[in-house]
Amino acid sequence: MQTQLAPSLKDSPLGREAESIVQKCVHCGFCLATCPTYTLVGDELDSPRGRIYLMKQMLEGAPVTEKTRHHLDRCLTCRACETTCPSGVQYGRLVDAGRVIAEEKAPRTWAARAMRWGMRQVLARPSLFGLATMSGRLAKPFLPATLAKKLPGKRMAGPWPASAHARTMIVLQGCVQPVLAPDINAAFARVMDALGVSVRVAASAGCCGALDHHLNAHDASRQRARDNIDAWWSLVEAGAEAIVITASGCGTQVRDYAHLLQDDALYASRAAKVAALARDPAEVLQAERDRLTERLSAAPASGLPRVAFHSPCSLQHGLKIRGVVEALLKLAGYSLTSVPDSHLCCGSAGTYSLLQAELSQSLLERKVAALQSDAPALIATANIGCLTHIESGADRPVRHWIELIDARIATMREPSRI
Ligand code: SF4
Ligand code: SF4
């Protein structure tokens, strides 16, 4: 698509990046069939091609209205369109830039800005979010059923291995996950301990910055990246082999630190190193497959539950990791059920479930029906946002897949664990 950048954007790196992405789109429309919002509402302006067209007009200086922002807001940033696109259009980067420009040209109301600011303050701070979650749990019996279902029950972390191996990796604790599911990182640490690797946490590392980024606070998101790099750096210098992020949504963000800080003279090279070390646990266990097979061969595999795996958009479209978790679960002895339309988003998408509640709920209902269609005993996934969102609609347990691997290894000690 040929574009003529408006004079006001000609000197803007954001405008130039957006222009170069738009130019790759050949308008073929292949992406429409895999776009969750288009398949739900059937409006071209709620499709990747329609949104690219809106952004092209915006880049060329056409008036930006609330309607432009509305269609960009309804995009989940799931990046299913990137997976489908034969021309390599980096839609995720484009919509990030498009949203910043749209918000500058058509500012939100004071109330909307205040709500988004409040979300960033509470969700990204485990102390505040923990307090809010605790209060919600106490008030749960008095909440309407729809709201009560959104509050997950308390989960116990279990022991963190004390042994010190020569091999070490770092794990990101993050912001929401340690409050809602502290068991996920503990399970990862136990699995790695069984494989001869110690997992360390940098106490001062925090939110990866994805929340700020998706709410258009790009400066705040870059600052979180710098803070995390500082928090991890001594462990990286001490020889940590990887920085593991057990929530694939956060993993996508950390993998992007190199891009986010590419123009930062002080942090660019450290950001590139950190991004290169960032791993999803699926990549880590795939690399340790032989040792894992050895460990699992000692654990009894009979009577395991049938599992439906929900591959988060951040895993399959963001990190482009496809089929790896499924293979690991099979290696561990689980049988997987079939899941129709597994490329489609569950509707969680960070704060989307709060800001676009109606669309999110429709996507959730469709996803839960697909996941439960082949009668699994439980559902596994790879991202805390998807986990809690699906849990609010499913009528069976939802777990992070690493917990299932941990449970299998644990059966050597506790046969009734799964
Ligand atoms: S990112 Fe997802 S919701 Fe947004 S346009 Fe692409 S496929 Fe549609
Ligand atoms: S599939 Fe790619 S090139 Fe075709 S319309 Fe969609 S974004 Fe453009």
Side-chain angles (χ1 to χ4, degrees):
M1 244 188 250
Q2 276 309 310
T3 44
Q4 287 290 331
L5 212 50
S8 62
L9 291 170
K10 276 214 158 83
D11 295 325
S12 138
L14 208 62
R16 284 202 303 273
E17 183 185 35
E19 181 195 30
S20 72
I21 299 173
V22 169
Q23 282 174 344
K24 282 193 176 170
C25 175
V26 294
H27 235 215
C28 64
F30 288 165
C31 51
L32 269 65
T34 56
C35 172
T37 53
Y38 180 72
T39 57
L40 211 56
V41 300
D43 180 348
E44 171 83 15
L45 292 179
D46 282 317
S47 78
R49 184 173 63 183
R51 291 181 177 121
I52 290 172
Y53 194 68
L54 282 176
M55 288 186 271
K56 169 185 155 58
Q57 289 181 315
M58 190 167 72
L59 292 171
E60 291 182 331
V64 180
T65 64
E66 212 175 300
K67 184 175 156 65
T68 318
R69 228 188 37 228
H70 168 77
H71 291 293
L72 296 187
D73 279 351
R74 277 156 67 112
C75 167
L76 295 136
T77 330
C78 69
R79 295 168 62 185
C81 46
E82 279 189 26
T83 298
T84 320
C85 177
S87 302
V89 172
Q90 288 178 293
Y91 176 88
R93 293 243 160 98
L94 176 63
V95 80
D96 281 351
R99 283 177 174 143
V100 171
I101 299 167
E103 204 159 292
E104 272 168 19
K105 300 206 180 278
R108 295 181 195 278
T109 61
W110 178 89
R113 288 204 304 271
M115 186 168 79
R116 293 162 79 92
W117 180 86
M119 281 179 181
R120 286 177 39 225
Q121 304 314 310
V122 175
L123 295 175
R125 287 191 170 84
S127 52
L128 282 181
F129 182 62
L131 205 62
T133 306
M134 198 173 68
S135 316
R137 280 180 185 142
L138 288 173
K140 201 168 178 176
F142 312 105
L143 295 176
T146 45
L147 201 57
K149 280 187 88 174
K150 300 244 175 246
L151 267 173
K154 198 169 165 55
R155 295 161 60 133
M156 304 307 287
W160 192 285
S163 45
H165 301 283
R167 295 180 63 197
T168 61
M169 292 183 184
I170 304 166
V171 73
L172 168 72
Q173 285 288 47
C175 49
V176 167
Q177 184 170 294
V179 174
L180 296 181
D183 44 342
I184 295 174
N185 275 355
F188 175 69
R190 288 190 292 267
V191 170
M192 293 316 294
D193 181 53
L195 301 179
V197 181
S198 291
V199 174
R200 306 256 181 267
V201 171
S204 53
C207 173
C208 64
L211 268 168
D212 293 310
H213 194 80
H214 294 148
L215 291 171
N216 267 354
H218 288 197
D219 286 343
S221 142
R222 274 189 283 269
Q223 189 51 46
R224 290 200 190 277
R226 289 186 198 99
D227 292 345
N228 284 340
I229 291 168
D230 287 344
W232 290 326
W233 200 247
S234 59
L235 291 171
V236 169
E237 286 194 315
E241 294 174 24
I243 299 168
V244 184
I245 305 105
T246 55
S248 57
C250 309
T252 316
Q253 182 74 7
V254 177
R255 195 62 67 80
D256 220 27
Y257 279 5
H259 177 74
L260 287 175
L261 296 176
Q262 63 186 347
D263 298 324
D264 186 319
L266 277 179
Y267 279 86
S269 81
R270 288 185 181 196
K273 169 90 176 163
V274 161
L277 285 175
R279 298 276 184 285
D280 186 85
E283 296 168 296
V284 174
L285 289 204
Q286 190 185 31
E288 302 290 332
R289 201 183 160 95
D290 291 347
R291 290 164 81 91
L292 182 65
T293 308
E294 204 182 297
R295 291 298 300 191
L296 289 168
S297 64
S302 59
L304 296 179
R306 293 175 79 234
V307 178
F309 179 63
H310 165 65
S311 179
C313 302
S314 44
L315 188 75
Q316 57 173 318
H317 307 305
L319 295 171
K320 309 203 184 311
I321 298 173
R322 302 184 192 113
V324 180
V325 175
E326 293 89 328
L328 290 166
L329 286 172
K330 282 182 190 160
L331 178 71
Y334 293 96
S335 58
L336 297 188
T337 62
S338 67
V339 180
D341 294 328
S342 57
H343 60 285
L344 287 178
C345 181
C346 66
S348 168
T351 51
Y352 193 92
S353 59
L354 303 171
L355 295 168
Q356 301 288 336
E358 212 176 302
L359 278 179
S360 168
Q361 187 61 29
S362 303
L363 290 166
L364 173 65
E365 283 163 18
R366 191 161 72 172
K367 179 57 70 181
V368 167
L371 285 166
Q372 297 189 163
S373 63
D374 195 15
L378 59 86
I379 296 166
T381 188
N383 186 49
I384 183 66
C386 309
L387 191 156
T388 52
H389 190 56
I390 293 171
E391 202 170 42
S392 73
D395 59 13
R396 57 209 77 191
V398 187
R399 297 280 178 267
H400 192 290
W401 66 270
I402 197 72
E403 295 178 82
L404 302 188
I405 305 286
D406 174 47
R408 276 283 284 115
I409 292 175
T411 53
M412 286 181 285
R413 299 187 301 268
E414 308 163 48
S416 61
R417 179 75 186 268
I418 299 174

